[in-house]
């Protein structure tokens, strides 16, 4: 497992032009606050190596959200890349990832 504090530092350094700051929110999640007021959450599974998801929250700006998910959500079984799927602009708009 990659040390999240190390990833947080990389985000702060490499993406300083679009990120106001990144922090470790929980033991398994990083939050990056973007300069436009949105934020990106990145979750890392402690139980299954290599499993992660990210969520770009923009609902307060323009009503949109974007999320890559590899959780086996039963509502997304019809997606060709199941369990991987992508929420493209809204919770209901799901496609393969």
């Amino acid at each position: 497992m990659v040390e999240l504090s190390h990833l947080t530092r990389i985000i702060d350094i490499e993406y300083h032009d679009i990120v106001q700051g990144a922090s470790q929110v929980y033991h398994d999640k990083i939050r990056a606050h973007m300069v436009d007021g949105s934020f990106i959450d990145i979750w890392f599974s402690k139980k299954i190596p290599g499993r992660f998801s990210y969520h770009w929250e923009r609902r307060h700006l323009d009503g949109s959200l974007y999320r890559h998910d590899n959780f086996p959500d039963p509502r997304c079984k019809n997606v060709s890349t199941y369990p991987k799927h992508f929420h493209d602009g809204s919770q209901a708009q799901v496609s393969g990832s």
Side-chain angles (χ1 to χ4, degrees):
M1 176 74 177
V2 174
E3 188 65 40
L4 295 189
S5 61
H6 182 69
L7 291 176
T8 301
R9 182 160 163 68
I10 291 171
I11 292 168
D12 283 337
I13 293 169
E14 295 293 326
Y15 300 100
H16 64 90
D17 55 332
I18 60 171
V19 175
Q20 286 181 332
S23 59
Q24 187 172 338
V25 181
Y26 298 110
H27 67 281
D28 60 351
K29 182 168 93 171
I30 292 173
R31 176 166 287 175
H33 294 275
M34 311 305 287
V35 296
D36 68 357
S38 65
F39 64 86
I40 298 174
D41 286 337
I42 309 164
W43 288 276
F44 298 90
S45 175
K46 295 271 188 182
K47 295 179 181 178
I48 304 172
R51 183 163 284 181
F52 70 94
S53 66
Y54 65 81
H55 174 90
W56 184 16
E57 180 67 52
R58 297 182 46 85
R59 285 186 271 203
H60 66 290
L61 295 173
D62 63 9
S64 65
L65 67 88
Y66 302 90
R67 181 169 57 245
H68 164 80
D69 228 332
N70 54 17
F71 178 79
D73 185 340
R75 297 171 292 184
C76 299
K77 280 192 174 188
N78 62 332
V79 175
S80 64
T81 57
Y82 182 82
K84 293 181 181 180
H85 57 281
F86 183 71
H87 298 268
D88 190 5
S90 74
Q91 185 71 15
Q93 183 71 27
V94 178
S95 63
S97 57

